[in-house]
Amino acid sequence: MAISFLLCAGLGHDALAANWIAIQGMEPANAAPLRLFGFTQGTYEQLVNTGDGQSSESSFNIRRARLGARGAIADGRVNYLFLTEFGNNAITRQDSAVLVDASVTFNLLPGLRLRAGQFKQPTMDEALEGNPFASDFINFSLIAAQLAQENKIIFDPNTGVNRFDGGVNAFRDVGVQAFDVFRQDAMEYTYALMLSNGRFGGTDDNDDKDLTGRLQASYVFKGALNSALREELSAFVWHSEGRRDYNAQDYRRMRQGLGVHYNRAPWRFRAEYVRAEGMIETGLTPQIEGGTPTLAPTGEAEGWYAMGSYSLTRNWELNLRYDTLDRLTNQGASERDFSTWTLGGQYIFSPQARVMLNYEIRDVSAPQGGNAPALPERVSAQAVLTF
């Protein structure tokens, strides 16, 4: 399955596609009982002057620094994955070190594997992929960052304002998942059904559970069907639903989406659409670090993105993405329409090291009136080292 290469060495130019549900939840039968892996992502970011008198802002950061372990025991019938985050990001907003993955998979019945613990929910491709190993862009698309990812926001009656309760969920939850992969000639079919708390990093805080499911069908042009290094055409659909408590009331939170990806050297294409109802995060007031988080408990939103990548040589790759988010479509003057063009490039020194450069042209409008201040363009650079 090339898992050892993927997670211990990282993905380089030759990493074309992957079934992330299988790779993150399974191990080959002959896998070692313990394998350590990790990565760091050092970033530089600058907001370009918008011309309205605002000064440009720039900063260096260790965005991600993770150390993990995985392996298989009991002749491959049981495998596990642990991963800890030490970087400076929204996951570690309140704690300097956070356990992001802690799961065990039981491979006991044909067609049914059970995974339990804390791990990624089977939602967007962009959310499932191993970001430091496979992502073509430094920052997530808007729909992944604002709709698929979740911040726990609570109303504090002592202060009369909202506040974050812990870090962002990083597309993860605590629960149990039934899943498996079926192969027939060049076709591969994957299903995953997860029952979870709806609360990252802790026990459930209400009587409801989230139910998340995903189906995927892939036609593999080249490479082993269960390999992380393959060329394929895939289509997928997913749905996630649960309840959230906010300010002494109960609200529905629904997310669903569909997408396709095509990978055949030297090209890669992917497109995803996401629709959301309830518990829509709407930013900070004021829009600075430390501002008060705002929330639309009954808001609705939708968005999509399309991206393409082209490998010029074994070392050089070009990337382009367009993403758009129409937020609070049911709330009149509060509706905001965001769009971003991301131009990028990568230089791959080796499977263990690469550097990335992105330039984002961002825009926001208020279709039904209201104030929509201009968004500055953003330049980001990132160095990735895996081991």
Side-chain angles (χ1 to χ4, degrees):
M1 190 180 285
I3 296 177
S4 177
F5 174 84
L6 170 68
L7 288 175
C8 296
L11 281 175
H13 173 274
D14 293 330
L16 302 174
N19 184 329
W20 293 104
I21 290 176
I23 287 177
Q24 293 168 358
M26 297 165 54
E27 293 278 342
N30 61 350
L34 174 63
R35 292 183 290 116
L36 299 178
F37 66 94
F39 58 85
T40 62
Q41 290 178 312
T43 62
Y44 171 80
E45 182 175 288
Q46 179 168 346
L47 301 180
V48 179
N49 196 318
T50 60
D52 57 3
Q54 298 181 14
S55 60
S56 298
E57 299 179 4
S58 62
S59 178
F60 291 98
N61 187 29
I62 303 298
R63 171 174 273 184
R64 294 181 181 92
R66 299 184 187 179
L67 179 64
R70 65 185 298 158
I73 59 176
D75 297 324
R77 290 176 298 167
V78 179
N79 57 270
Y80 66 89
L81 171 64
F82 293 95
L83 187 62
T84 305
E85 173 68 274
F86 300 93
N88 180 34
N89 55 55
I91 301 175
T92 56
R93 179 188 291 123
Q94 296 182 0
D95 299 289
S96 58
V98 175
L99 185 65
V100 291
D101 284 289
S103 70
V104 178
T105 300
F106 300 92
N107 309 289
L108 302 179
L109 299 174
L112 177 62
R113 303 174 190 269
L114 293 178
R115 189 180 185 190
Q118 180 170 283
F119 50 92
K120 287 188 175 183
Q121 295 173 282
T123 58
M124 297 179 64
D125 244 27
E126 187 181 4
L128 282 170
E129 71 181 355
N131 176 273
F133 311 109
S135 178
D136 289 325
F137 300 93
I138 297 172
N139 295 306
F140 292 122
S141 69
L142 289 172
I143 58 172
Q146 296 194 29
L147 300 184
Q149 197 163 225
E150 183 179 9
N151 276 297
K152 178 68 173 178
I153 297 175
I154 62 175
F155 179 80
D156 189 341
N158 296 320
T159 62
V161 297
N162 292 336
R163 64 175 175 85
F164 289 119
D165 184 19
V168 71
N169 77 343
F171 311 111
R172 292 163 168 85
D173 202 354
V174 180
V176 61
Q177 174 179 274
F179 75 102
D180 211 346
V181 181
F182 305 92
R183 305 173 187 95
Q184 182 178 12
D185 298 326
M187 292 300 301
E188 178 181 271
Y189 305 95
T190 305
Y191 82 91
L193 185 64
M194 182 177 183
L195 185 68
S196 60
N197 286 339
R199 180 182 175 90
F200 172 75
T203 56
D204 205 343
D205 58 358
N206 59 29
D207 293 331
D208 297 295
K209 295 290 183 288
D210 281 21
L211 186 63
T212 305
R214 173 173 161 131
L215 296 173
Q216 177 173 312
S218 304
Y219 183 89
V220 179
F221 299 109
K222 178 182 177 182
L225 291 176
N226 57 354
S227 173
L229 312 174
R230 67 186 192 184
E231 300 181 352
E232 68 178 69
L233 172 63
S234 294
F236 55 90
V237 59
W238 61 272
H239 182 95
S240 180
E241 185 153 345
R243 310 290 298 186
R244 298 292 185 270
D245 292 339
Y246 172 72
N247 196 15
Q249 295 190 53
D250 179 66
Y251 296 95
R252 175 178 181 243
R253 182 184 187 274
M254 188 281 293
R255 304 291 188 268
Q256 62 184 10
L258 54 86
V260 295
H261 65 241
Y262 171 85
N263 306 274
R264 201 164 194 181
W267 294 97
R268 290 202 300 279
F269 298 102
R270 185 169 68 198
E272 297 190 57
Y273 167 83
V274 174
R275 190 171 72 88
E277 295 181 7
M279 303 304 287
I280 305 294
E281 186 180 354
T282 55
L284 300 174
T285 304
Q287 294 286 335
I288 58 174
E289 185 175 350
T292 299
T294 55
L295 187 69
T298 60
E300 298 179 7
E302 63 178 352
W304 60 271
Y305 78 85
M307 56 148 285
S309 297
Y310 179 76
S311 297
L312 294 170
T313 69
R314 187 168 184 82
N315 299 105
W316 286 101
E317 183 173 283
L318 299 179
N319 313 107
L320 178 65
R321 181 179 69 193
Y322 175 79
D323 64 270
T324 180
L325 169 65
D326 194 355
R327 194 177 70 191
L328 302 188
T329 56
N330 63 330
Q331 296 194 6
S334 296
E335 181 181 1
R336 296 294 181 270
D337 194 352
F338 300 85
S339 63
T340 305
W341 282 98
T342 304
L343 292 76
Q346 304 182 59
Y347 184 83
I348 302 164
F349 291 93
S350 73
Q352 293 80 26
R354 60 177 173 148
V355 292
M356 309 170 68
L357 180 65
N358 286 179
Y359 188 85
E360 297 173 67
I361 304 170
R362 306 185 296 173
D363 184 60
V364 59
S365 62
Q368 302 186 53
N371 182 30
L375 292 176
E377 297 175 356
R378 180 165 58 183
V379 178
S380 304
Q382 181 168 264
V384 184
L385 177 64
T386 65
F387 61 89

